[in-house]
Amino acid sequence: MLKKALYIIIPLALIAIVVIKLKNNKEITQSKVYQYDKEQVINVQADTLQIENVNAEFSYSGTFEPNKETKISAEIQGKINEVLVDAGSIVNKGQSLVQLDNSLLKLQLQNIEVQIEGLEADVNRYTILAKADAIQGVQLEKSLLGLKSAKVQKATLVEQISKTTIKAPFNGVVTAKLSEEGAFAAPGVPLLQITDITNLKFTVNVPENELSQFKLNQSYSLSADAYSEILLTGKTTMIGSKANMGSSFPVQFMVNNTSDLKIKSGMFGKVLLKSETSGKGIMIPSSAIQGTENQPQVYIVKNGKALLQNITISNKIQNKAVVSSGLNEGDVIVTNGFINLFDGANVIVK
């Protein structure tokens, strides 16, 4: 009898122990899991809406680049006898920059000039003899061909000698001196770098929904960050057809530099625009918008609660949106602090 009772009591005791252990484990686990309290007050940042001028100026930042820039190398090989410019030198198109050794070429030119003199004398003599039928006409023809060949060789040498003087291909500034006197020049080996900043290229990256503000060959106002008091004019020369990695499109302008070339390559600047929408309206930060593109929403604060409000957006100007309906002057909207925020949440404005 006792044995039968033990068979019943022991399993029940084991089951009771397991149940108690599981209950304790559940309580421990629940105590470690964060339980969000919907009644908890959430700290948020908010703005009180006001009527603003919608036709305000705005800008896009970009970078100035040289209109022309090239690294100059020799067309023929030879030792550098003289470098006639230094880094920072202002040069004009056609100005001599580097002089290569051409003494051997000049000796070859003198030699061919002597040959030409002899061939010209032969041609004159054979011409007289041929008219008197004293020689065959073929001898005169050979002399004429030899003279033509020598003149071609002379022209080749003159061209090679001219190429020993390396000249500037356009007006600009020497921005890098890559070789010195005594070095060996060869085709493809850069000797100098010349940069033309008389005209500059200015490039900005524009989001796709704002690309329509730019038209080809239209003029816009620009300024350099370093010389904000100088107003420049740039004409649109290129509107990108392919987005970059940031999903924006490059827009490029051609800009005339100041007479003293104050704007340098690599400087930052801005292109200034005016909003096409004029008048007054309510503008909110784009970061405050929730919901979808088709149904934008914002959180408005009423009686200490954050409530979702449907809105209609008529235009976007950089990082702000113009609201045509859904909000009124004096409304308070949440602009930051969306973590754990939900419709009807208790909030406190910082």
Side-chain angles (χ1 to χ4, degrees), residues 68 91-94 168-173 194-198:
K68 296 178 184 176
V91 298
N92 297 315
K93 182 177 180 179
F170 51 79
N171 298 341
V173 179
I194 294 182
T195 304
D196 175 19
I197 58 172
T198 306

Side-chain angles (χ1 to χ4, degrees), residues 20 63 70 74 85 89 122 212 249 297 309 311:
I20 293 170
T63 308
T70 186
V85 293
S89 299
D122 288 344
S212 59
F249 293 79
Q297 298 173 312
Q309 174 69 39
I311 60 172

Side-chain angles (χ1 to χ4, degrees), residues 65-80:
E65 299 171 354
N67 178 39
K68 296 178 184 176
E69 186 173 63
T70 186
K71 289 181 179 178
I72 298 174
S73 58
E75 294 185 56
I76 60 174
Q77 62 183 17
K79 188 183 77 172
I80 297 175

